[in-house]
Each structure stands twice: as C-alpha cells, then as structure tokens.
Amino acid sequence: MKPSIQLNCPMPKLDFEYITLAHGSGGLLTQRLLNSGVFDLLNNDYLSEQHDGAIFTASGKMAFSTDSYVISPIFFPGGNIGELAINGTVNDLAMCGAIPQYLSLSFIIEEGLAMTDFWEILVSIQHAARQAGVQIVTGDTKVVEKGKGDHIFINTSGVGTVHPQADIRASRIQAGDKIILSGELANHGIAIMSLRQGLTFETDILSDTTHLNHTIRGLLDNFGTAIHFLRDPTRGGLATVLNEIAQQTHLGVLLSQKALPIAEQVAGACEMLGLDPLYVANEGIFVAIVTPDIAEDALQMLRQSEQGKNAAIIGEISSEPSGKVLLNSIIGGKRIVQMPIGEQLPRIC
Amino acid sequence: MKPSIQLNCPMPKLDFEYITLAHGSGGLLTQRLLNSGVFDLLNNDYLSEQHDGAIFTASGKMAFSTDSYVISPIFFPGGNIGELAINGTVNDLAMCGAIPQYLSLSFIIEEGLAMTDFWEILVSIQHAARQAGVQIVTGDTKVVEKGKGDHIFINTSGVGTVHPQADIRASRIQAGDKIILSGELANHGIAIMSLRQGLTFETDILSDTTHLNHTIRGLLDNFGTAIHFLRDPTRGGLATVLNEIAQQTHLGVLLSQKALPIAEQVAGACEMLGLDPLYVANEGIFVAIVTPDIAEDALQMLRQSEQGKNAAIIGEISSEPSGKVLLNSIIGGKRIVQMPIGEQLPRIC
C-alpha cells in the first residue's frame, strides 16, 4: 500500500513465512523474531538494553496515555494498524498538551499472520514514529492460537512532557469560547467502511490517520493558556466529544452545520449509507476550544499548515442549553445532537 | 475464587448481563459500562479527569514498561488475568530498580463476556493495585466480535521512579557474583497446566502471582548498587532468563540443581508431565545477581519476608563457559541448560 516506504526497508531473509505460537514463547524463536529486524527497524539506545523496561530522565509534568488498536481490516486506504497505533497514542498525548516522547509497543498476534504483513506493519510503525519524533523504548510480543484473535492487535502507551504553556482541562472551558475543528470530518470512518464485507461501494477516500503533535505544539507555542481544551474526535466521532464536553462542563455547545468542513465525496458516501458524519470516526483531526480573542489568529495559523488547511471555527460554547449540543442546521432549523448509544461501525480503531 | 475480596465489592445492578460490541463504541454504552463501577472501583484523581491521558509530576530517572496478558484460562488456581496484569507490570518496573507508581489499563474484550466475570477481574485489579501501592491513571476499552478474541486480553503499561540507590544493568554483572532466586520454581506454570484441556491431573498448586516491588525496594534500600541485576523468570522460565544473561554478558552461569527451591508437589507434577521446571513460567519470584560480599545478608533479609521465605543462592557467575548456562546436577554430572526454542505451554501469561 505504501511501496515507497517498504522499498527502503526490504524484509530480511527469514527461515519462516508465518508467525507461530512459538514466536510468542519468550524463548529462542521470540528472540529470533525480534532480532530478525524488529530491533533493527526501531533501533534506539533504550530498546537495545533489552530489559523488562526502559529508563529515561524526566522532570516536571508528564502525560501518560494508552490505547489498544483492534481495527479491522488491518490494512486500509491511507494506512494500516501500525501507523494508526503510533499516531493514535501520539495524538492522545498531544491532546493533553504534552510533547510525546517515549512509546511502548505491544503486539497480540494471531498465529498464521504472514511475516510479510507483520513486516509491512513494522515499517509503518518505524515511519510513523520518525514522523512524530517519538522513540519506541519498550515492548512485548504475544501470540494466540488461530481463531482466538484477529490477525493482530496492537497496544501503544506513551509518555511525554507537558508543554510549559499548556493548561488543557475541561474545567477551563467557558461560555463564549470558540470551537475550532482542524480538518475535514469523517474521512477515516468512511475509508474503513468502504472495505467492510457487504459494502461494495468504491471510493478513493483515504483515512486521515496522522500525527497531530507538531501542529498542537505550534498552537501552544503561540497561544499557550488561551487554548482551554483539546480533543481528537476518534471513536464515536465529533458528536461524542462535544457531548462529553457539554456534560462535563454543564455548558452548551452551539454548532453550525454550515461551518463543518467535509469533503464532497465523504458527504456523498455518508448520505448514501445513511450515516451522520458527526458520528463517524476520525483519526487526523482535533477540536480546540479557545478564548474568542485568539480564535481567528489560531485559525489562520492552522490554515497555513498542511494538516490544518481545511480548519474552521465550527461553533462556540454557551451557557445554554446546559449539558447539550445544539446544531444550527443548514436549512435553518435547530436540533439537539445526541450522544450515540453504540457505534455505527465496530472496530474502527 | 476469592470470595472475601468479592464480597467487599458487590457488583452494582446493571441493565445488561454480557458485554456487547456497543460497550466498546466510545458512546453512551461505553460511558455506562465505565460509570457502572469501573471508575468507582479504580477511583483516583487522575482517572476522574476522564481525559485522553493522565498528567503527573516526575523528576529524575523513570522506568517505563508494558505487557499484554493473554493467559488462558482467565481464572486459574491462585488468581485471574486481572491481578496477573497488575502484578506483571509492577514486577517488570521493580526489576528495573524502579518504584512502580502509575499504571495504564487497556482491555480487549470478546463480546459475550459475562459482566460478572468482568466484575471479578476488576475487583482483583483494584485489590492488586492497592497491594502494590500503584494507581491506575488512564485506560481504554475495546470490544471485538465473538470468535475474534478469547474472553479478555489486558494490556498494562506502567511508569515509576527509579530507586535512588538502584543501578540495575546486565553490563554490571561480574564473574564471582552470586545468583539468588527469591522463591520456589514453576508454581505458576504448573497451576495453569493443571487446568488445560486434556490434562486432568488434580493438584492444589496455586499460581505464585504477586507484586514483588516492596520486597525489591527493601533490598535496594539495604544493598543499593551491590545488586547488579534483577529479572523475574516469567515466560520461558529460569532457563531463558539465565541464558539471556549469559549471552548478554558473555559470562558463564553456574547453577546448582540441589540448591533450586521447588515444592515437592510441583516437582512431582513436572516429573509426571515430563517437564523441566527450569523452563516453566513463574509470576511471583525473581532472580537477583549480587556481589558475593552481600549475598548471604541479602538472602537472610529475603528469608524473613513472606515472599522470600524459600529464597536460595542457586549459583554464581563465572568467566567460563562464556555465554552458556552450566548446571551441576544432583547426581553429580554437569550439563548445558539450553535456551528453549518455543514454549511448553502457550498463553501462560
């Protein structure tokens, strides 16, 4: 799917084609699997110690986050589970106002995974970690029997230093704050959906999976504590994140449908599938809730970056309706945007 | 299995009996699941922020470790996957010479898991975290379809401050160092094996899963840098850990079979099953490699603790045979202890 990256890191010649239970034993075959290229690919001083954990030096406020990735299928338009797992945890740390630094990487592999698939995932992990500027310092590999997993699940956890100018907390959100969305809605969810069994529509929509930490850092460098809150609308989509904010703050969220950035093709796919893009998962965008005085400057700064070129102010915080999200629709009506009960699409991340 | 713990935390009345895909959606049902008791059970100031990550203050050297737990069955004599996941990562941090502080907790649940089973696991997690003195500060819950997982997999990652007197590195190991084993061999592996399909022998052997951090801290307080290396012989058993040490240091490991602590019933089960206890997994013991001058004092200190009452000096480091583990057998012969190729028993942790 990404031949240009793959070509730079051809898979070494190995005496096995598929991952077996013994590769998760902790014994010689685990050692061989890791020495076959995993350690080489992800090489750094921390990992080469090969201890039970990594040791680094820290000072001040640190953020710590975890996510397990169970996306199906593991390869999808615009990415694979490997880069998703790196970008996801990098972004969760960035949403805490932190500068992501060190990641752990833990695999649960179903026996029979082709080594070529595993290699492609590893190369993507290496690439995503470099792009985000993080190091993978500790890890774990488990293998489960055929039928007890689904190709591969990946957990990444991460730590990073909180930006000295960051103070990101839901309790800092105030009525009058502006809501910025950094990019187009629903690309990730629609890209995955186009691949699922039974859904045969074809699109060239790509997942938006990417690292957001450099963009967030730029905002924090320039606007510091004027940024009250950050969150990436992944599982559950924008509607879930905004409802959580409304519930936590007991404030209202006023949303302008007209202002929501969405690609024409994605809007069309949502319509065709009967999906509301507010509930579709994203992987490469974020919501920033900022003081009104810097909103326009922050938007302009975002728009000058590749990742933020479609950014928009999509609404504002208000004292009413308390705990609710209210949408001003394009046709002029108003409706409450509910918290979703379940997920339109399981295993989206 | 642990009624005394369970009774203290009865499961709240819920409107569902089984975990469904929607509980992993990130929407309302995820919120309900977490608010039904998970947050209450594991309550602390970090978790109650309910952000994408937790923020804590750190200074100096920190250790960071991760492990995914895929043990089958999830309930076993002496414990369950929940406490195993807490103790395992607590111990990995302790083996780095760190004082474990903050843990992340990430579930991959197969749909259909009974809520009573999940609750029992959560209560054990709460109990294990309290015993070890760690806080669960951030987490994640994913649900996969029936047949795409196996009841529940758990990832825990953790961070902790390195003990000021600790300097645990394989490169500090020297010829002449003594090898202490803190307790009896092979209890965990044999307890699990007694439950596996096809093996019908009955024993009252319990898994040794426990937190080792307080014991390690006591050793570091007293003996500091005289402790050169620490490692818990989990997957792959003692033979794997000692072989890794021999390979990394290019030194020899001389092991006395007579000195190895093992319960009579466990030795009997190993014999009956044709297993070498050196290769069987453990969860509640550790290997300490220490300078010869403090070895006897460290042993006496360990023996005064409940977890170390069966501790023994099981051998020493030597310049020869380089990179190998040599066992002096009870009957007087010598043999090389090889690195295992695979695992006698998959999914032991």
Side-chain angles (χ1 to χ4, degrees):
Chain A
M1 205 154 273
K2 289 219 167 62
S4 57
I5 298 176
Q6 275 269 46
L7 283 176
N8 293 336
C9 303
M11 191 170 88
K13 274 213 184 308
L14 299 173
D15 55 0
F16 57 92
E17 278 180 66
Y18 299 96
I19 307 252
T20 63
L21 279 176
H23 287 115
S25 67
L28 202 59
L29 281 175
T30 305
Q31 226 180 42
R32 262 192 217 157
L33 175 64
L34 295 175
N35 290 335
S36 77
V38 180
F39 282 140
D40 287 345
L41 267 183
L42 307 178
N43 184 39
N44 60 58
D45 291 345
Y46 303 96
L47 209 57
S48 60
E49 278 282 323
Q50 298 187 25
H51 201 336
D52 282 341
I55 292 175
F56 55 83
T57 304
S59 80
K61 279 191 189 171
M62 303 283 294
F64 180 29
S65 186
T66 191
D67 252 326
S68 287
Y69 298 84
V70 299
I71 192 165
S72 172
I74 56 174
F75 297 97
F76 50 82
N80 67 47
I81 190 171
E83 61 196 282
L84 192 77
I86 300 299
N87 291 336
T89 293
V90 161
N91 293 348
D92 281 349
L93 289 169
M95 297 307 137
C96 297
I99 297 157
Q101 294 168 289
Y102 306 109
L103 259 59
S104 66
L105 176 66
S106 176
F107 299 113
I108 299 176
I109 302 171
E110 183 190 21
E111 64 172 333
L113 181 72
M115 190 58 205
T116 49
D117 285 348
F118 189 50
W119 188 257
E120 185 167 343
I121 290 166
L122 284 172
V123 173
S124 297
I125 285 171
Q126 179 205 42
H127 184 73
R130 281 189 185 161
Q131 297 275 103
V134 296
Q135 289 184 296
I136 291 156
V137 296
T138 188
D140 181 41
T141 307
K142 294 280 167 28
V143 182
V144 297
E145 304 90 332
K146 191 90 191 161
K148 301 292 185 186
D150 197 13
H151 303 291
I152 187 167
F153 301 143
I154 302 179
N155 176 282
T156 50
S157 302
V159 293
T161 310
V162 176
H163 190 290
Q165 269 88 59
D167 187 11
I168 308 299
R169 280 176 290 136
S171 54
R172 296 193 64 231
I173 298 172
Q174 292 176 0
D177 283 355
K178 298 290 182 187
I179 306 169
I180 300 175
L181 186 67
S182 71
E184 290 172 341
L185 270 181
N187 288 340
H188 178 72
I190 296 300
I192 304 303
M193 201 162 299
S194 71
L195 284 189
R196 287 280 171 93
Q197 266 188 334
L199 293 172
T200 52
F201 73 97
E202 282 192 23
T203 77
D204 44 19
I205 299 165
L206 301 180
S207 165
D208 59 350
T209 180
T210 190
H211 58 287
L212 296 166
N213 53 324
H214 303 319
T215 305
I216 294 289
R217 187 173 182 163
L219 285 178
L220 289 169
D221 284 347
N222 279 277
F223 304 106
T225 54
I227 299 166
H228 287 166
F229 195 70
L230 295 164
R231 183 67 73 91
D232 52 342
T234 55
R235 258 190 307 181
L238 184 63
T240 299
V241 164
L242 296 180
N243 267 286
E244 284 174 354
I245 290 168
Q247 287 170 17
Q248 275 190 277
T249 58
H250 305 287
L251 294 169
V253 172
L254 307 181
L255 202 57
S256 160
Q257 190 175 24
K258 206 168 68 182
L260 290 172
I262 183 164
E264 209 173 317
Q265 207 182 7
V266 174
C270 283
E271 212 160 294
M272 196 175 78
L273 296 164
L275 294 174
D276 185 337
L278 288 175
Y279 294 91
V280 177
N282 312 280
E283 287 292 336
I285 60 172
F286 63 90
V287 172
I289 300 186
V290 306
T291 56
D293 55 309
I294 64 111
E296 196 55 43
D297 289 347
L299 180 68
Q300 290 317 320
M301 187 183 157
L302 266 175
R303 282 195 175 156
Q304 275 155 38
S305 70
E306 179 56 30
Q307 289 179 339
K309 65 182 182 218
N310 297 306
I313 295 174
I314 60 166
E316 62 180 46
I317 304 295
S318 147
S319 54
E320 293 293 330
S322 168
K324 304 264 182 218
V325 180
L326 191 68
L327 180 84
N328 274 305
S329 79
I330 290 172
I331 52 168
K334 285 181 200 289
R335 68 173 170 93
I336 297 290
V337 177
Q338 302 287 351
M339 183 85 172
I341 304 283
E343 169 62 84
Q344 301 157 330
L345 189 65
R347 300 184 56 194
I348 196 75
C349 62
Chain B
M1 206 154 272
K2 290 219 166 62
S4 57
I5 298 175
Q6 276 268 46
L7 283 175
N8 292 337
C9 304
M11 191 170 87
K13 275 211 184 310
L14 300 173
D15 55 359
F16 57 93
E17 278 178 67
Y18 299 95
I19 307 251
T20 63
L21 279 176
H23 287 115
S25 67
L28 203 58
L29 281 175
T30 305
Q31 226 182 43
R32 265 194 214 155
L33 175 65
L34 296 175
N35 290 334
S36 76
V38 180
F39 282 140
D40 286 345
L41 267 183
L42 307 179
N43 184 38
N44 60 57
D45 290 346
Y46 304 96
L47 208 57
S48 60
E49 277 281 324
Q50 298 185 26
H51 201 335
D52 281 341
I55 291 174
F56 56 84
T57 304
S59 81
K61 279 190 189 173
M62 304 284 293
F64 179 28
S65 187
T66 191
D67 252 326
S68 287
Y69 298 85
V70 299
I71 193 166
S72 171
I74 56 174
F75 296 98
F76 50 81
N80 67 47
I81 191 171
E83 61 197 281
L84 191 77
I86 300 300
N87 291 335
T89 292
V90 161
N91 293 347
D92 281 349
L93 290 169
M95 297 308 136
C96 298
I99 296 157
Q101 294 167 288
Y102 306 110
L103 259 58
S104 66
L105 176 66
S106 176
F107 298 113
I108 299 175
I109 302 171
E110 183 190 22
E111 66 173 332
L113 181 73
M115 190 59 205
T116 50
D117 285 349
F118 188 50
W119 189 256
E120 186 168 341
I121 290 166
L122 285 172
V123 173
S124 297
I125 285 171
Q126 178 205 43
H127 184 73
R130 282 188 185 162
Q131 298 274 104
V134 295
Q135 289 184 297
I136 291 156
V137 297
T138 189
D140 182 42
T141 306
K142 295 281 169 24
V143 183
V144 297
E145 304 90 331
K146 190 90 190 161
K148 301 292 186 187
D150 197 14
H151 302 292
I152 187 169
F153 301 142
I154 302 179
N155 176 281
T156 51
S157 302
V159 292
T161 310
V162 176
H163 190 290
Q165 270 88 58
D167 187 9
I168 309 298
R169 280 177 291 137
S171 54
R172 296 193 62 231
I173 297 172
Q174 293 177 358
D177 283 355
K178 298 290 181 188
I179 306 168
I180 300 174
L181 186 67
S182 73
E184 290 172 343
L185 271 181
N187 289 340
H188 177 72
I190 297 298
I192 304 304
M193 201 163 298
S194 72
L195 284 189
R196 288 282 172 93
Q197 263 188 335
L199 294 172
T200 53
F201 74 98
E202 282 194 22
T203 76
D204 44 19
I205 299 166
L206 301 179
S207 165
D208 59 350
T209 179
T210 190
H211 58 286
L212 296 165
N213 54 322
H214 303 319
T215 305
I216 295 289
R217 188 173 181 162
L219 285 177
L220 289 169
D221 284 346
N222 278 277
F223 304 106
T225 54
I227 299 166
H228 288 166
F229 196 68
L230 295 164
R231 183 68 73 92
D232 52 342
T234 55
R235 258 191 307 182
L238 185 62
T240 299
V241 164
L242 296 180
N243 266 288
E244 284 173 354
I245 290 169
Q247 287 170 17
Q248 274 190 279
T249 59
H250 305 288
L251 294 168
V253 172
L254 307 181
L255 202 56
S256 160
Q257 191 176 24
K258 206 167 69 181
L260 291 171
I262 183 164
E264 209 174 318
Q265 207 182 6
V266 174
C270 283
E271 212 160 293
M272 196 174 80
L273 296 165
L275 294 174
D276 185 336
L278 288 174
Y279 294 91
V280 177
N282 312 279
E283 286 292 337
I285 61 172
F286 62 90
V287 172
I289 300 186
V290 305
T291 56
D293 56 310
I294 65 110
E296 196 55 44
D297 289 348
L299 180 68
Q300 290 317 319
M301 187 184 157
L302 266 176
R303 282 197 175 153
Q304 275 153 40
S305 71
E306 178 56 28
Q307 289 180 340
K309 65 183 180 215
N310 297 306
I313 295 175
I314 60 166
E316 63 180 47
I317 303 296
S318 147
S319 54
E320 292 293 330
S322 167
K324 304 264 182 218
V325 179
L326 191 69
L327 181 83
N328 274 305
S329 79
I330 290 172
I331 52 167
K334 286 182 198 292
R335 68 174 171 91
I336 297 290
V337 177
Q338 303 285 352
M339 184 85 172
I341 304 283
E343 169 61 85
Q344 301 156 331
L345 190 65
R347 298 184 58 193
I348 195 75
C349 61

